[in-house]
């Protein structure tokens, strides 16, 4: 049986056509990224509105099985074709699973596998039971088959998680009718022998839970939130299939200064696409949120997706289901307000842009230590740590003043030695800056933060991390990096515990860190902490003045404090600092001149080299003696405006630019050797969606100069179709003679086409008479 063999319902709605401001058929058109769109609803005669069902994707369709409509459990199988946008009943033979909900369904090869769930008559509340049966539905012939097993089987369950990896079905956790579970079982989906195997799990396993989603990515299964009683959290857990080990992903967002994970919830969905996990819906305490969250597997941070303009955003819901086809997510059904079942379908267009590599590029550049032009002499042991002036001065005013003072002292030395400060860069010794009070390990962490906006530990499992972070906090205060201060405070608040709080208190007192000291005192005197801490051997060894402070704090409960006060809005990001540095703050530290259209554009070698292999190779092998580089992109010299857009991308990852700049920069990623083609992807999207009669002449001019014929022809057609408006634009008078002739020829061609169309229409009507 082909996947197109089903009983169809009429498609609701019409297919939209391209507007006059989009690229013509010979130029690729992409769907708007991050856009929600409501698709055809499923008619009641095809399938009921439902929740607690499953959705899987196979080829160009999603398949919905089971669930409940508020009165009865269901076991029908319905199908939505994403190309023809129509619903129908999927062809099926054999005995299907009994009606059920909170089951699981996965796809392997040409089959769907349905496991477990809750069955019975919910209307009369009879024969209700969990199941541990496994059914296979073959998409090619529509055959349902129940599997038979040998040996042990998992306990019957519902509201569990299921995944496919390495040709096996993996079942995790759920509810057995009496208690929540966190066991795991697996069974091979190929071969003649069907035998379950219980998995021996290692690592930091999630608590017993149910009504959670799972997603598989990069050899791992991810579990987020769910119903787990008093232990319900918004923690993301990762299970590695190879070594069968769990890992809790909890503090990474703190170390990266990123938003926290989504609020704890259950009945939500989670899918994987590209490098992201996407979480939608569910019940978050007493609300039904409809925002979409994504977790970046590369940067390990959460963010909330901003929907594209004109999105048709689904209402909040729980117990819906989702699946991915191509570069889009489809969600169907669910329970919405007032316990109403839904039968609507939504499509979300993923953003497939390559990731921003700004932080990674600068981080790798620091690790490689190429082109370093400053050396910090750190601590009493005078450890030498190299870095790049441009990066340092862009992020810390304190270190900027230190570098300026060191540079002035060096110039004074040159003046005495040579009678001038005009000494060639190649002959200048590396600038040295003394930091005698800093701890080298803490300074390395601060330095990495300056380059990447992230805190990275050499040994993330060291028992000294709290003490190291206190040193980092002290440097963040001294160097005037407020956002790093906040990250340290958040991390310490998260990590300080009954086992390490006395060490933290002692060191906070020794280092004069009043904020952290007060937090430690408040933590110690809390009712559920105090007895265990004061009865410990560490407390008995504590300095007497600190013991006195603890006792006084305990006796004066009105001054208890258990939260470190900090303002999360204070501080700047790497992007914002680099933007200011490019626009105004970095002029006195420029060490390279870029020349375009006879205009000199001062820049910074280290930033150019960190982001572009083109400049890196140039500065390493054949740096011009006069420190001047003529700018081109292949054989083309970009406009000054386009190159300004390119510099913004290099310095702080900005992708906002007018469409005409996108034409000039389309080939820049290849020519300059960026880490990926992110800029090119944005240029393509910009051109596909933002050509209007207001900017069409700039696009025409740029496409002619860049010899991009598809775009040029499209621009000419737009000029012709909007000529009465375009002709009045001031830019029209600035067009070259050759382009004006092209416009005239396009107008003539259009008139010929119109005459032919009128003639053909007349002949057709005449023949019909």
């Amino acid at each position: 049986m082909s996947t197109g063999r089903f009983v169809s319902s009429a498609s609701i709605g019409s297919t939209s056509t391209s507007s006059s401001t989009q690229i013509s058929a010979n130029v690729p058109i992409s769907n708007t990224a991050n856009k929600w769109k409501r698709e055809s609803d499923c008619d009641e005669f095809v399938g009921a509105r439902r929740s607690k069902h499953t959705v899987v994707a196979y080829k160009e369709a999603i398949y919905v099985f089971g669930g409940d409509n508020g009165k009865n459990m269901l076991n029908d199988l319905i199908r939505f074709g994403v190309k023809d946008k129509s619903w129908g009943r999927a062809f099926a033979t054999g005995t299907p699973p009994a009606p059920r909900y909170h089951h699981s369904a996965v796809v392997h090869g040409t089959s769907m596998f349905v496991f477990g769930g809750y069955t019975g008559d919910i209307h009369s509340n009879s024969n209700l039971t969990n199941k541990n049966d496994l059914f296979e539905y073959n998409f090619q012939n529509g055959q349902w088959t129940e599997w038979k097993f040998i040996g042990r089987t998992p306990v019957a369950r519902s509201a569990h998680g299921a995944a496919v990896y390495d040709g096996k079905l993996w079942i995790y956790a759920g509810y057995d009718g009496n208690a929540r579970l966190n066991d795991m079982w697996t069974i091979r989906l190929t071969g003649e022998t069907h035998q379950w195997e219980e998995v021996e799990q290692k690592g930091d396993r999630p608590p017993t839970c149910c009504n959670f989603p799972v997603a598989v990515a990069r050899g791992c299964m991810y579990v987020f939130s769910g119903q787990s009683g008093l232990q319900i959290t918004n923690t993301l857990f990762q299970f590695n299939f190879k070594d069968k080990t769990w890992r809790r992903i909890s503090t990474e967002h703190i170390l990266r200064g990123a938003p926290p994970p989504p609020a704890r919830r259950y009945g939500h969905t989670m899918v994987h696409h590209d490098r992201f996990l996407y979480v939608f819906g569910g019940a978050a305490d007493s609300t039904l949120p409809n925002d979409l969250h994504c977790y970046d597997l590369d940067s390990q941070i959460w963010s909330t997706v901003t929907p594209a303009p004109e999105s048709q955003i689904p209402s909040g819901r729980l117990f819906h289901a989702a699946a991915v086809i191509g570069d889009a997510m489809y969600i169907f059904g669910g329970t919405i307000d007032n316990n109403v079942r839904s039968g609507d379908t939504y499509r979300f267009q993923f953003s497939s842009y390559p990731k921003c590599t700004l932080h990674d590029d600068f981080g790798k550049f620091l690790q490689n230590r190429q082109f370093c032009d400053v050396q910090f002499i750190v601590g009493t042991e005078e450890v030498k740590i190299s870095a790049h002036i441009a990066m340092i001065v862009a992020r810390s005013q304190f270190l900027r003043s230190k570098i300026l003072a060191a540079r002035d002292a060096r110039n004074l030395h040159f003046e005495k030695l040579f009678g001038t400060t005009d000494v060639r860069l190649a002959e200048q010794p590396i600038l040295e800056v003394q930091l005698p009070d800093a701890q080298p390990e803490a300074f390395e962490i601060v330095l990495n933060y300056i380059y990447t906006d992230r805190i990275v530990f050499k040994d993330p499992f060291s028992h000294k991390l709290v003490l190291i972070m206190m040193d980092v906090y002290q440097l963040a205060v001294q160097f005037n990096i407020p956002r790093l201060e906040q990250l340290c405070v958040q991390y310490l608040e998260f990590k300080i515990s009954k086992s390490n709080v006395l060490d933290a208190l002692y060191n906070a007192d020794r280092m004069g860190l009043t904020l952290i000291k007060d937090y430690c005192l408040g933590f110690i005197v809390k009712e559920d902490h105090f007895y265990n801490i004061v009865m410990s051997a560490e407390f008995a060894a504590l300095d007497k003045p600190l013991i006195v402070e603890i006792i006084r704090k305990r006796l004066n409960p009105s001054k208890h404090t258990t939260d470190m006060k900090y303002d999360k809005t204070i501080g700047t990001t790497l992007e914002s600092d680099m933007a200011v540095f490019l626009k105004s703050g970095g002029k006195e530290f420029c060490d390279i001149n870029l020349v375009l259209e006879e205009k000199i554009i001062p820049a910074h070698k280290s930033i150019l080299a960190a982001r572009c292999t083109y400049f890196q190779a140039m500065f390493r092998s054949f740096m011009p003696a006069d420190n001047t580089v003529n700018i081109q992109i292949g054989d083309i010299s970009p406009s000054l405006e386009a190159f300004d857009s390119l510099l913004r991308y290099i310095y702080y990852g900005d992708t906002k630019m007018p469409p005409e700049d996108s034409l000039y920069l389309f080939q820049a990623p290849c020519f300059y050797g960026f880490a990926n083609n992110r800029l090119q992807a944005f240029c393509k999207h910009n051109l596909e969606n933002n050509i209007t009669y207001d900017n069409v002449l700039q696009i025409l001019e740029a496409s002619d100069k860049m010899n991009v014929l598809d775009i040029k022809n499209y621009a000419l057609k737009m000029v012709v179709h909007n000529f009465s408006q375009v002709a009045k634009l001031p830019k029209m008078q600035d067009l070259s003679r050759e382009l004006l002739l092209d416009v005239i020829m396009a107008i003539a061609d259009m008139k010929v086409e119109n005459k032919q169309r009128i003639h053909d229409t007349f002949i057709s009507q005449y023949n019909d008479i």
Side-chain angles (χ1 to χ4, degrees):
M1 179 197 108
S2 70
T3 57
R5 185 179 173 188
F6 64 99
V7 182
S8 176
S9 66
S11 178
I12 300 172
S14 60
T15 304
S16 61
T17 57
S18 300
S19 70
S20 61
T21 59
Q22 289 179 318
I23 302 297
S24 58
N26 59 349
V27 180
I29 298 176
S30 65
N31 292 300
T32 302
N34 295 341
K35 186 173 183 178
W36 283 103
K37 183 174 182 259
R38 184 165 182 169
E39 302 284 4
S40 305
D41 288 351
C42 182
D43 288 339
E44 288 285 342
F45 75 85
V46 174
R49 300 169 181 267
R50 68 191 68 202
S51 69
K52 305 170 191 170
H53 52 286
T54 53
V55 167
V56 300
Y58 181 71
K59 294 189 175 179
E60 298 297 326
I62 60 171
Y63 289 77
V64 179
F65 176 75
D68 82 82
N69 62 8
K71 296 179 180 179
N72 302 299
M73 293 186 187
L74 307 169
N75 70 337
D76 55 341
L77 181 62
I78 56 178
R79 173 191 186 278
F80 176 73
V82 300
K83 286 192 172 179
D84 58 19
K85 301 187 183 304
S86 65
W87 281 98
R89 301 189 193 107
F91 175 77
T93 62
T95 304
R100 64 189 61 207
Y101 64 62
H102 283 326
H103 52 286
S104 62
V106 297
V107 171
H108 176 68
T110 59
S111 294
M112 173 178 70
F113 294 86
V114 173
F115 174 79
Y118 200 50
T119 65
D121 187 345
I122 56 176
H123 182 67
S124 63
N125 201 31
S126 61
N127 300 319
L128 297 174
T129 183
N130 284 302
K131 303 290 284 185
N132 63 351
D133 48 5
L134 178 64
F135 283 81
E136 178 181 0
Y137 173 79
N138 188 296
F139 291 109
Q140 294 182 324
N141 59 25
Q143 179 73 40
W144 280 107
T145 306
E146 182 176 3
W147 279 34
K148 303 300 180 183
F149 313 113
I150 60 172
R152 296 172 61 215
T153 58
V155 64
R157 69 191 67 204
S158 57
H160 52 280
V164 169
Y165 180 79
D166 191 29
K168 296 178 181 179
L169 169 65
W170 303 70
I171 298 297
Y172 174 69
Y175 183 67
D176 68 0
N178 296 306
R180 298 182 183 93
L181 310 167
N182 68 347
D183 58 338
M184 184 181 292
W185 293 75
T186 186
I187 187 171
R188 185 160 292 283
L189 296 176
T190 57
E192 298 298 323
T193 303
H194 301 152
Q195 186 168 4
W196 285 99
E197 176 188 351
E198 186 168 8
V199 178
E200 185 178 340
Q201 304 168 72
K202 296 177 287 187
D204 193 355
R205 194 192 318 195
T208 56
C209 57
C210 61
N211 287 319
F212 58 91
V214 303
V216 175
R218 302 180 179 183
C220 295
M221 178 176 72
Y222 291 86
V223 171
F224 175 72
S225 204
Q227 285 180 299
S228 52
L230 296 176
Q231 300 181 78
I232 185 170
T233 69
N234 62 343
T235 298
L236 180 67
F237 289 88
Q238 177 196 69
F239 176 78
N240 187 292
F241 286 108
K242 295 288 187 185
D243 59 24
K244 299 180 176 57
T245 300
W246 286 99
R247 182 171 76 93
R248 178 193 297 261
I249 302 174
S250 55
T251 61
E252 280 78 359
H253 70 280
I254 297 176
L255 299 179
R256 288 161 176 77
R264 64 182 189 176
R265 62 192 63 205
Y266 68 91
H268 50 296
T269 54
M270 181 168 66
V271 300
H272 167 244
H273 179 259
D274 194 20
R275 66 179 190 277
F276 296 108
L277 304 177
Y278 290 87
V279 171
F280 177 77
D285 293 325
S286 59
T287 65
L288 292 178
N290 69 338
D291 44 1
L292 181 65
H293 301 268
C294 72
Y295 178 76
D296 190 322
L297 294 167
D298 288 337
S299 63
Q300 298 184 35
I301 60 174
W302 286 98
S303 61
T304 303
V305 178
T306 302
E310 302 178 8
S311 283
Q312 299 167 309
I313 304 172
S315 59
R317 61 196 62 213
L318 77 160
F319 300 138
H320 52 290
V324 174
I325 296 181
D327 57 0
M329 172 178 69
Y330 294 83
I331 68 168
F332 172 73
T335 301
I336 53 179
D337 288 335
N338 299 318
N339 210 28
V340 174
R341 269 47 172 188
S342 167
D344 49 17
T345 310
Y346 287 87
R347 179 187 190 276
F348 178 78
Q349 176 65 46
F350 291 123
S351 166
S352 296
Y353 299 127
K355 72 171 185 175
C356 177
T357 62
L358 183 78
H359 300 238
D360 292 342
D361 290 344
F362 287 147
K364 290 175 184 175
F365 195 60
L366 172 64
Q367 291 175 4
N368 294 336
R369 309 284 179 176
Q370 288 191 70
F371 313 116
C372 291
D373 49 8
V374 63
Q375 195 167 71
F376 292 96
I377 313 301
V378 183
T380 55
E381 297 181 1
E382 298 190 341
V383 177
K384 294 180 178 180
I385 300 176
S386 301
H388 306 89
I389 289 175
M391 293 299 303
I392 303 300
V393 300
R395 313 265 356 240
S396 168
Q397 289 297 319
F398 175 85
L399 293 175
R400 182 191 188 105
S401 63
K402 282 277 191 181
I403 286 172
L404 285 173
R407 193 166 73 175
D408 289 343
R410 187 178 66 178
N411 287 341
L412 188 62
H413 176 70
F414 287 160
E415 184 74 39
K416 290 181 180 178
L417 200 61
F418 305 113
T420 179
T421 60
D422 188 17
V423 178
R424 289 181 60 206
L425 282 173
E427 297 174 358
Q428 293 180 10
I430 192 167
L431 194 68
E432 290 191 348
V433 175
Q434 299 283 338
L435 295 174
D437 299 328
Q439 295 293 327
E441 186 174 1
F443 181 74
E444 286 274 20
I445 292 173
V446 173
L447 200 58
N448 189 77
Y449 173 84
I450 285 174
Y451 281 69
T452 67
D453 259 5
R454 302 169 187 161
I455 296 172
V456 177
F457 299 120
K458 288 183 179 178
D459 180 7
F461 303 104
S462 170
H463 65 281
K464 296 181 179 179
L465 288 186
V466 169
L467 303 184
I468 292 171
M469 282 297 280
M470 292 170 71
D471 287 328
V472 172
Y473 173 76
Q474 190 174 43
L475 289 180
V477 173
Q478 182 183 355
F479 294 170
N480 190 25
I481 310 178
R483 188 164 173 270
L484 180 56
E485 292 179 43
Q486 310 306 327
L487 298 188
C488 293
V489 168
Q490 290 178 65
Y491 182 82
L492 290 169
E493 199 171 40
F494 185 86
K495 278 293 186 180
I496 287 176
S497 63
K498 287 186 281 189
S499 63
N500 62 25
V501 66
L502 292 177
D503 272 346
L505 174 66
Y506 171 79
N507 283 279
D509 180 65
R510 177 180 59 83
M511 298 163 69
L513 305 179
T514 305
L515 180 71
I516 297 173
K517 178 181 176 181
D518 288 344
Y519 174 79
C520 292
L521 288 170
F523 183 93
I524 291 168
V525 300
K526 283 182 70 174
E527 194 64 43
D528 53 345
H529 297 167
F530 185 73
Y531 180 81
N532 289 335
I533 293 173
V534 299
M535 295 302 291
S536 66
E538 291 82 1
F539 181 81
L542 201 61
D543 288 351
K544 183 177 178 180
L546 287 176
I547 294 177
V548 172
E549 285 194 66
I550 292 171
I551 300 303
R552 287 175 175 170
K553 193 77 171 177
R554 175 69 173 178
L555 295 175
N556 193 354
S558 63
K559 293 185 178 181
H560 282 190
T561 176
T562 55
D563 291 314
M564 289 187 260
K565 303 300 180 185
Y566 52 87
D567 185 350
K568 295 180 181 179
T569 64
I570 292 176
T572 54
T573 64
L574 174 64
E575 288 83 356
S576 61
D577 283 342
M578 297 308 292
V580 171
F581 189 65
L582 174 64
K583 292 170 186 174
S584 58
K587 292 180 180 177
E588 63 183 311
F589 299 97
C590 291
D591 53 4
I592 187 75
N593 289 325
L594 308 176
V595 180
L596 179 62
E597 295 181 6
E598 298 183 353
K599 180 177 178 180
I600 296 176
I601 305 167
H604 307 86
K605 287 182 186 177
S606 56
I607 295 171
L608 297 177
R611 296 278 279 152
C612 313
T613 57
Y614 172 86
F615 286 114
Q616 196 175 114
M618 175 185 291
F619 300 154
R620 186 169 52 239
S621 304
F622 41 90
M623 178 64 205
D626 59 356
N627 250 27
T628 299
V629 177
N630 291 307
I631 292 301
Q632 284 191 299
I633 301 176
D635 298 327
I636 303 297
S637 294
S639 66
L640 285 168
E641 295 79 9
F643 189 67
D644 185 56
S645 294
L646 180 63
L647 281 181
R648 293 198 306 274
Y649 179 79
I650 290 173
Y651 272 69
Y652 56 99
D654 184 41
T655 54
K656 298 182 181 69
M657 66 186 75
E660 53 270 27
D661 289 1
S662 296
L663 265 172
Y664 286 109
L665 302 184
F666 193 74
Q667 297 301 325
C670 299
F671 183 78
Y672 284 112
F674 293 146
N676 61 20
N677 65 342
R678 177 179 173 84
L679 178 61
Q680 190 174 50
F682 273 95
C683 288
K684 180 175 181 289
H685 179 267
N686 203 10
L687 288 168
E688 290 173 347
N689 292 277
N690 294 305
I691 301 181
T692 67
Y693 74 83
D694 289 316
N695 61 27
V696 68
L697 293 179
Q698 287 89 338
I699 299 295
L700 176 63
E701 197 172 54
S703 60
D704 180 64
K705 186 176 181 180
M706 298 291 291
N707 198 30
V708 184
L709 296 181
D710 280 348
I711 302 293
K712 180 181 177 181
N713 290 334
Y714 175 76
L716 283 170
K717 289 179 182 179
M718 181 176 283
V719 169
V720 171
H721 287 292
N722 300 275
F723 191 73
S724 61
Q725 296 165 301
V726 175
K728 298 174 184 177
L729 296 173
K731 181 69 177 175
M732 194 74 178
Q733 300 177 19
D734 298 332
L735 288 185
S736 67
R737 179 176 180 275
E738 290 76 13
L739 281 178
L740 287 172
L741 287 173
D742 286 338
V743 171
I744 293 170
M745 290 299 297
I747 293 172
D749 291 341
M750 184 193 71
K751 288 187 175 181
V752 171
E753 289 175 8
N754 287 344
K755 283 183 179 180
Q756 185 65 44
R757 192 179 301 111
I758 293 170
H759 176 267
D760 292 344
T761 302
F762 175 79
I763 294 298
S764 174
Q765 290 175 344
Y766 179 81
N767 290 335
D768 291 339
I769 295 174

